[in-house]
Amino acid sequence: QLWYREDSWDHVPADFHCPYQIRLDNGHVICAPKDIDGYIRTTDVPPPNCSICLCNDQTEENFIVRDCACRGTQGYIHLECLKDVALSRAKAEIDSGRADTSGFNPFIQCVTCRLTFSRGSPSAMVLARACYETYSDEDETPWWHSFAAKNLVRNMVERGDDDGAKMLLEKHVSMIRLTIKDLRKQGYLTYIPANEIELSKLLLECVEVYEKKGMLSEMKPTLDEICRLKEKYEFDGPRQIRINQRLSSHSKLLGDIDS
């Protein structure tokens, strides 16, 4: 039997089936006839060449992936080569005077086809870690500092590492709060808004992790702080929607507990 269906699929047509999906240790998801290890086999077929270095050598940490929409052999690339391309492109953007990567970001998209990598995929994870290692320092501009942390956190959550994501977020929230405190103390008030806006973004990520872990006592004060910042700055539509969704979720969770 090459296909399966769940007993709970009452709303799905009776002739609709799906293959088993198995996530390998390297993060790839494959389809198999049955959900048993015996259907996974090694092969002596050589891997394709990397489109950057033109080699096909692989290691456990640096294997060849195809996570984008590039045609033909152009889509095959070593994780390390992918990382090097992204770092080079980001440096060029920053050296040209751009404070962020509005419209295109080499740490979440293929530089050739511009497809956004799926969160938690091998490509997304290696790029998120490379960005974090390069741009998470508190001396970086607020946008890069915040993005580096948020991007890694979202990929960690996708891979099920909620505890690691929580620790990382709380670390960077503390760092930005200290930066704001120092700016205020030194009288550099014009730099505070940019930091407070990025703080609100990290706090929103915190709330979503707290919600997933059922941490209501941490969720409420964090939402209150976001709302105070929202009164000072005009948030974009998508962020406003996310805030409203979290406020609604918190109220619902409290209601479920009270009942």
Side-chain angles (χ1 to χ4, degrees):
Q1 182 179 352
L2 301 182
W3 307 93
Y4 83 103
R5 61 178 286 116
E6 299 288 350
D7 294 336
S8 60
W9 291 358
D10 296 332
H11 63 290
V12 179
D15 59 347
F16 184 88
H17 294 72
C18 283
Y20 280 100
Q21 289 189 336
I22 301 174
R23 184 177 292 276
L24 304 179
D25 292 340
N26 63 13
H28 288 173
V29 174
I30 64 171
C31 294
K34 294 184 179 180
D35 190 13
I36 57 177
D37 292 341
Y39 275 89
I40 302 176
R41 297 280 191 270
T42 58
T43 178
D44 57 2
V45 177
N49 289 334
C50 169
S51 60
I52 301 299
C53 68
L54 303 182
C55 296
N56 64 359
D57 296 336
Q58 298 187 97
T59 65
E60 187 174 345
E61 294 79 21
N62 185 31
F63 48 89
I64 294 174
V65 295
R66 185 187 179 94
D67 287 338
C68 67
C70 288
R71 295 183 177 182
T73 58
Q74 185 68 25
Y76 295 106
I77 186 170
H78 280 114
L79 289 175
E80 285 296 316
C81 292
L82 179 67
K83 181 176 74 173
D84 291 344
V85 169
L87 288 169
S88 176
R89 181 61 179 270
K91 184 178 185 301
E93 294 287 330
I94 294 173
D95 288 347
S96 67
R98 297 181 62 174
D100 57 41
T101 55
S102 301
F104 169 71
N105 190 324
F107 290 114
I108 60 175
Q109 295 170 275
C110 171
V111 299
T112 303
C113 69
R114 303 297 177 94
L115 180 77
T116 299
F117 296 113
S118 299
R119 286 180 188 170
S121 67
S123 295
M125 282 301 302
V126 76
L127 291 176
R129 293 194 181 282
C131 181
Y132 183 79
E133 292 169 0
T134 307
Y135 296 108
S136 66
D137 191 271
E138 58 186 329
D139 293 332
E140 292 292 337
T141 60
W143 188 92
W144 275 106
H145 177 96
S146 172
F147 169 77
K150 287 188 303 177
N151 188 34
L152 181 54
V153 160
R154 290 172 179 176
N155 280 279
M156 292 170 73
V157 168
E158 187 66 29
R159 297 293 286 267
D161 188 7
D162 297 336
D163 290 334
K166 174 179 172 293
M167 291 176 60
L168 186 67
L169 279 169
E170 291 176 344
K171 169 188 172 183
H172 283 275
V173 164
S174 297
M175 288 171 63
I176 292 188
R177 281 175 175 157
L178 285 174
T179 298
I180 293 171
K181 182 179 179 180
D182 290 342
L183 289 171
R184 188 170 284 115
K185 183 178 180 180
Q186 296 173 27
Y188 298 139
L189 304 183
T190 57
Y191 296 101
I192 291 178
N195 281 276
E196 287 189 331
I197 289 172
E198 297 307 322
L199 173 62
S200 71
K201 296 177 183 179
L202 289 179
L203 289 172
L204 186 53
E205 298 290 332
C206 282
V207 167
E208 293 177 346
V209 172
Y210 293 154
E211 179 183 356
K212 189 174 181 182
K213 293 178 64 64
M215 303 172 63
L216 297 186
S217 59
E218 286 83 358
M219 195 173 172
K220 183 59 168 65
T222 308
L223 277 168
D224 289 342
E225 185 173 358
I226 293 172
C227 289
R228 287 194 295 271
L229 291 169
K230 184 182 69 170
E231 293 175 357
K232 294 177 64 176
Y233 307 105
E234 183 177 350
F235 289 173
D236 57 34
R239 200 175 347 152
Q240 183 63 60
I241 291 172
R242 287 173 66 196
I243 293 171
N244 291 338
Q245 288 173 337
R246 300 289 76 75
L247 287 168
S248 176
S249 296
H250 183 263
S251 298
K252 184 179 184 301
L253 288 171
L254 281 179
D256 291 344
I257 292 175
D258 292 340
S259 61

